Amino acid sequence: MRLVMLGAPGSGKGTQGARLAERLQVPHIASGDLLRAQVRDRTELGRLIAGCLDSGKLVPDEQVLDLVLPVVLAAAAGAGGYVLDGFPRSVAQAVKAESVLAESDAGVERVIFLAVPEPVLVERLLERAGAAGRSDDTPEVIGDRLRVFQAETRPLIDHYRARGLLLEVAADRPAEEITQAIVTIL
Ligand code: AMP
């Protein structure tokens, strides 16, 4: 199964992505993790993108696509699928990825949209910020990340709905319940 997890920051993409990948026995590919690893390892790319990550802005398409697509193609070929989390983040990214993936029969089969009311997102992100860890989980950057989601990522919902790929799941409830709901609709 080749899945995309779609949702705002704090919607549980990471948690559900990991759970689904385990159930489906395919790799969980989180673009944010791949990008943060570049920063941590102080690669040339890492130095270029650190500012974007810290401020919650999207990393330029070319850099994200170059990093993520080879991993996606390898998972599709080697494990027969993937759970993509955090990519694509815009319609432009989706369109660029579609043409590359289609060539290898590795295109997205289903998109799970995790629907969570905005006040709950803010609450969850602030909790995560309190637990300290990520440089972009600060109250200042959280607002920017939610705005980036609304402006850039939200249009993907219609994009995938029009292609008949979208499955919407209410995600303001316990994690296990959400996983069960997703497995059932899949
Ligand atoms: P995430 O871990 O998915 O919340 O992503 C953390 C940060 O990584 C985002 O705020 C962006 O700066 C960057 N990022 C992750 N995925 C993408 C993507 N597909 N396109 C552009 N930037 C991304």
Side-chain angles (χ1 to χ4, degrees):
M1 178 77 71
R2 301 185 298 270
L3 282 186
V4 163
M5 307 302 295
L6 187 60
S11 62
K13 293 190 303 291
T15 303
Q16 292 303 323
R19 296 174 76 111
L20 287 171
E22 164 108 44
R23 292 253 189 144
L24 300 168
Q25 294 286 293
V26 294
H28 173 215
I29 304 169
S31 54
D33 288 349
L34 295 175
L35 292 163
R36 277 186 291 275
Q38 295 289 316
V39 176
R40 198 176 48 238
D41 297 346
R42 297 169 193 274
T43 65
E44 200 182 327
L45 175 63
R47 276 192 289 273
L48 287 171
I49 64 175
C52 288
L53 291 171
D54 285 344
S55 63
K57 290 198 188 70
L58 293 187
V59 172
D61 287 355
E62 199 190 324
Q63 285 156 347
V64 176
L65 288 153
D66 285 354
L67 185 67
V68 173
L69 285 182
V71 182
V72 176
L73 288 168
Y82 51 77
V83 176
L84 249 179
D85 153 11
F87 179 92
R89 266 299 214 275
S90 66
V91 173
Q93 286 185 3
V95 170
K96 288 175 194 169
E98 258 156 37
S99 56
V100 176
L101 296 177
E103 273 174 35
S104 303
D105 285 327
V108 173
E109 290 176 287
R110 285 278 181 275
V111 177
I112 313 286
F113 171 53
L114 299 172
V116 178
E118 172 125 355
V120 179
L121 295 173
V122 174
E123 195 182 306
R124 284 189 190 172
L125 288 166
L126 286 172
E127 254 172 50
R128 200 161 81 182
R134 281 173 50 168
S135 60
D136 58 352
D137 269 345
T138 62
E140 303 80 58
V141 181
I142 285 169
D144 288 334
R145 287 165 61 212
L146 289 171
R147 277 188 283 280
V148 168
F149 174 77
Q150 294 296 344
E152 306 283 338
T153 311
R154 207 168 225 304
L156 276 172
I157 296 173
D158 285 338
H159 175 84
Y160 284 126
R161 191 180 280 130
R163 282 159 180 69
L165 302 182
L166 195 81
L167 300 169
E168 180 167 339
V169 177
D172 179 16
R173 47 183 170 153
E176 176 56 28
E177 234 178 278
I178 301 168
T179 310
Q180 276 307 334
I182 296 170
V183 169
T184 305
I185 54 176
L186 283 175

